[in-house]
Amino acid sequence: MMMTVAESLAPATATSGAGVTPRRRTVVWLGLVPFAVYVVLFLAIPAVLAAGSGFFDESGAFTLANLAAFANPQILAAFWASIWVAALTAIVGAVLGAAVCFALMGTRPEGFLRSAVDSASSVLAQFGGVMLAFAFIATIGTQGLLTRWLVSMGFTQNLFSHFNNGGPLLYQVPGLVIPYLYFQVPLMILTFLPAMQGLKTTWGEANAILGGTRFTYWTRIAMPILAPAFFGSLILLFANSFSSYATAAALIDQGGIIPLTIRQQLTSETVVGVSNVAGVLALGMVVIMVVLMTAYSALQRRASRWQR
Amino acid sequence: MSALRFGAEPGRVTRWVILGSVGIVFMVPIVAMLEFTLRVGQPAKGVQTYGFAHYLALFSPLNESTYDVLFQGIVNSLTICVITVAIVLVLLLPTMILVELKFPHLRRVLEFVCIIPITIPSIVLVVGFVPVYSIVARIFGSSPWTLAFAVGVIVLPYAYRPIAANLASVDVVILSEASRSLGAGWLSVLGRVILPNLRRGIFASCFITIAVVLGEYTIASFLSRNTFQTALVLLQHTDPYVAVIFAVVALVFAFFLLLLIGRLGSTRRDRTSS
């Protein structure tokens, strides 16, 4: 769809450039150089280095030996933990977020409620990180508000303070689920609300005229139309949780999920430089992200059909 | 609202039950943070005393050395903000306008490039930034501001979208042709026609850039630069109360910054509809 727009604009630029000599044309091209150089230096090169460094050993020779990391039970366990935390928080976050989107239907898009929900969602979804970790230390950490409250109620050995015989819940991998939901639900609101906004009132009226009930409206019209957008957002949430680092890093000092394992690999080396096992893990993450994003853009294309 | 509802709208009760319960659950950690910062000492016989001691301690000269890292981190983060905003304004914005005017067939390519950083987790990019920065350090030294180059990349998707949305709503090709045919030079086309029309998109993307830079932790921590977030994590071990105070302030600040963007956007819609 975007291509046709671009093509229809092409003649317009052709006319504006009619008087431009070939030499002027090259000068205009030069305008793209600074940004291109920046992107190559700070995006392309780091990305290639990150994905490629796993295939080289300390001396710089090509090797596949680092791939053995994928057979390491600890690393496999970390991948598995990353995946289940991402899946659980994505599903719960998507359902709760969709419920909030539903509740926001019919409110004025320019109204104060929507602006406030939008900004709060952006803050939590995109800039929370370390600060979200602190919020939960103050809530369900050893001295947290809720933990203390449970203790004062007589539950000295409660869920938050003693989880699975391993100390406070918050400092273990399953404990990440709670803070993660605080950026997953807002992200769902940000990504799914535009899709719900695309539901036309005329479809509801058509349904009513044809004798449909609100139940048939949801099962036969709204849900099938929203399905691609919903599953697309679900994938985005999974990817978001899977790649998130700051919150976990501020809570857990060891490994446990893949981003934390990469930290262990990068910091355990005495010399700061290209860490090769970290490179292999980074490659593993990129492969999973590429699969997720391909699925996301396919679903997004289907969803956008109903949003104009 | 009438009793007859056809579309997706929820009933009044359903709406407020959902919004109310989610809202309350989301307020709990914020309230817990505030409660945490007001605690004074350990509870005696199960009774916690409250006060502003931790807030006052911030201004006490005795603690200057303790909070030095934090204040230095904030200064560093603000410097990085300024340079990152400059990268957006000097590198990204002119490129987007140029592509729109002269190379519309490259628009998809530019969009793809700007979205990539969302697909690559920061923790992965860090693995590649470590060797790149060993070279950067040789050229520019290892002062904190150099971090802006890396953060500028992370910011691309956020900075790109508001400007792109603004560009799509204004027909810059026709506007620039009109002003060119009225005899304007390229500089006045840019300065007096295009940029004023993109004002809102540019503001929004600058604000989002600031919020992202202030919240950035991953890259700074791996490249061992002291920024606001890394300082907070350090301080959390020695003085968790002050770390939480600053976390609340930063969250509230980001909230109002983004609320301002939202308001800017809606005034534009009001004006076009009237």
Side-chain angles (χ1 to χ4, degrees):
Chain A
M1 276 298 158
M2 282 298 289
M3 278 313 283
T4 52
V5 175
E7 276 155 16
S8 67
L9 277 177
T13 35
T15 47
S16 74
V20 177
T21 60
R23 189 140 48 89
R24 284 282 307 273
R25 194 81 193 157
T26 2
V27 175
V28 175
W29 268 104
L30 284 178
L32 298 178
V33 170
F35 184 71
V37 169
Y38 174 66
V39 166
V40 167
L41 285 182
F42 288 95
L43 179 58
I45 291 181
V48 170
L49 282 179
S53 67
F55 294 106
F56 295 91
D57 63 15
E58 307 290 311
S59 59
F62 182 82
T63 176
L64 291 173
N66 294 321
L67 291 177
F70 288 122
N72 179 326
Q74 260 187 319
I75 287 174
L76 278 179
F79 261 109
W80 172 238
S82 270
I83 289 172
W84 80 252
V85 167
L88 180 63
T89 59
I91 292 167
V92 177
V95 170
L96 289 179
V100 173
C101 293
F102 166 67
L104 285 173
M105 291 299 292
T107 55
R108 280 192 316 122
E110 278 88 34
F112 179 77
L113 176 68
R114 283 285 276 278
S115 310
V117 170
D118 268 354
S119 337
S121 300
S122 303
V123 170
L124 292 173
Q126 286 152 352
F127 325 116
V130 171
M131 289 159 315
L132 263 188
F134 291 175
F136 281 89
I137 291 173
T139 314
I140 58 170
T142 325
Q143 294 296 318
L145 183 63
L146 287 185
T147 317
R148 274 193 178 184
W149 180 69
L150 283 178
V151 170
S152 74
M153 301 286 283
F155 301 99
T156 42
Q157 301 269 316
N158 60 61
L159 171 72
F160 297 136
S161 67
H162 296 80
F163 178 77
N164 205 11
N165 300 323
L169 170 68
L170 190 60
Y171 305 113
Q172 302 175 44
V173 171
L176 289 179
V177 169
I178 302 169
Y180 274 28
L181 280 176
Y182 271 69
F183 58 70
Q184 294 284 58
V185 173
L187 184 64
M188 184 67 183
I189 298 173
L190 289 180
T191 57
F192 193 58
L193 194 55
M196 280 205 88
Q197 210 63 53
L199 289 175
K200 306 263 188 302
T201 28
T202 45
W203 297 339
E205 288 158 11
N207 170 63
I209 289 167
L210 294 171
T213 58
R214 272 184 59 87
F215 180 76
T216 55
Y217 170 77
W218 278 105
T219 53
R220 305 257 185 97
I221 301 173
M223 281 184 183
I225 285 175
L226 291 176
F230 181 83
F231 289 112
S233 305
L234 190 71
I235 290 174
L236 203 65
L237 260 60
F238 184 95
N240 183 47
S241 166
F242 184 74
S243 59
S244 155
Y245 168 76
T247 310
L251 290 172
I252 301 177
D253 288 327
Q254 294 93 35
I257 56 173
I258 279 299
L260 296 181
T261 313
I262 292 182
R263 172 180 66 180
Q264 281 182 317
Q265 290 294 337
L266 281 178
T267 51
S268 69
E269 290 209 334
T270 42
V271 187
V272 178
V274 183
S275 179
N276 304 320
V277 173
V280 171
L281 298 180
L283 181 65
M285 282 188 88
V286 169
V287 169
I288 293 181
M289 290 296 284
V290 167
V291 171
L292 290 172
M293 285 301 154
T294 313
Y296 172 70
S297 65
L299 284 167
Q300 202 58 31
R301 262 197 303 282
R302 287 205 60 167
S304 65
R305 232 185 268 168
W306 298 99
Q307 282 178 34
R308 42 194 79 227
Chain B
M1 173 154 236
S2 68
L4 273 174
R5 286 181 289 115
F6 304 117
E9 273 188 40
R12 189 180 286 264
V13 177
T14 326
R15 169 180 301 155
W16 291 112
V17 166
I18 295 175
L19 288 183
S21 47
V22 173
I24 288 169
V25 169
F26 270 76
M27 280 312 289
V28 168
I30 305 292
V31 172
M33 282 169 107
L34 289 174
E35 190 263 355
F36 188 77
T37 61
L38 293 173
R39 288 181 190 172
V40 180
Q42 287 296 310
K45 296 189 195 103
V47 180
Q48 173 74 56
T49 43
Y50 293 104
F52 288 93
H54 299 296
Y55 288 85
L56 295 174
L58 268 178
F59 301 102
S60 152
L62 283 174
N63 298 320
E64 236 178 58
S65 57
T66 323
Y67 303 137
D68 216 28
V69 186
L70 181 65
F71 291 125
Q72 189 56 50
I74 293 175
V75 170
N76 291 347
S77 279
L78 292 177
T79 316
I80 297 170
C81 273
V82 172
I83 300 171
T84 314
V85 167
I87 289 176
V88 168
L89 294 182
V90 175
L91 288 177
L92 178 64
L93 178 65
T95 309
M96 289 182 72
I97 295 175
L98 193 62
V99 164
E100 192 73 20
L101 287 178
K102 295 288 174 191
F103 310 103
H105 54 283
L106 289 181
R107 202 188 292 143
R108 296 266 299 188
V109 180
L110 183 63
E111 184 182 7
F112 179 73
V113 167
C114 290
I115 300 298
I116 288 178
I118 279 203
T119 324
I120 309 178
S122 308
I123 182 83
V124 169
L125 273 179
V126 154
V127 178
F129 275 137
V130 172
V132 168
Y133 264 80
S134 66
I135 298 170
V136 169
R138 238 174 284 157
I139 302 171
F140 297 107
S142 54
S143 31
W145 67 265
T146 52
L147 212 57
F149 296 127
V151 177
V153 164
I154 303 297
V155 154
L156 277 184
Y158 303 104
Y160 172 83
R161 273 193 205 142
I163 300 178
N166 204 159
L167 271 174
S169 68
V170 180
D171 202 330
V172 278
V173 174
I174 289 186
L175 281 180
S176 69
E177 276 169 8
S179 39
R180 288 285 282 162
S181 63
L182 289 170
W186 274 114
L187 268 184
S188 50
V189 171
L190 197 65
R192 294 167 66 184
V193 178
I194 296 180
L195 289 182
N197 271 299
L198 296 179
R199 202 173 48 228
R200 287 171 207 286
I202 294 170
F203 271 124
S205 88
C206 289
F207 285 155
I208 288 194
T209 302
I210 292 170
V212 173
V213 176
L214 290 181
E216 206 291 323
Y217 170 73
T218 312
I219 296 175
S221 82
F222 278 100
L223 297 176
S224 321
R225 304 295 201 276
N226 175 29
T227 64
F228 177 44
Q229 298 293 324
T230 56
L232 277 184
V233 171
L234 273 182
L235 199 61
Q236 213 270 323
H237 296 293
T238 52
D239 191 342
Y241 298 103
V242 170
V244 172
I245 291 175
F246 274 87
V248 178
V249 171
L251 285 173
V252 172
F253 173 74
F255 173 75
F256 282 108
L257 201 61
L258 293 171
L259 198 61
L260 195 62
I261 300 179
R263 295 275 93 182
L264 279 177
S266 61
T267 44
R268 180 192 62 216
R269 260 171 262 147
D270 291 348
R271 262 176 46 186
T272 44
S273 63
S274 64

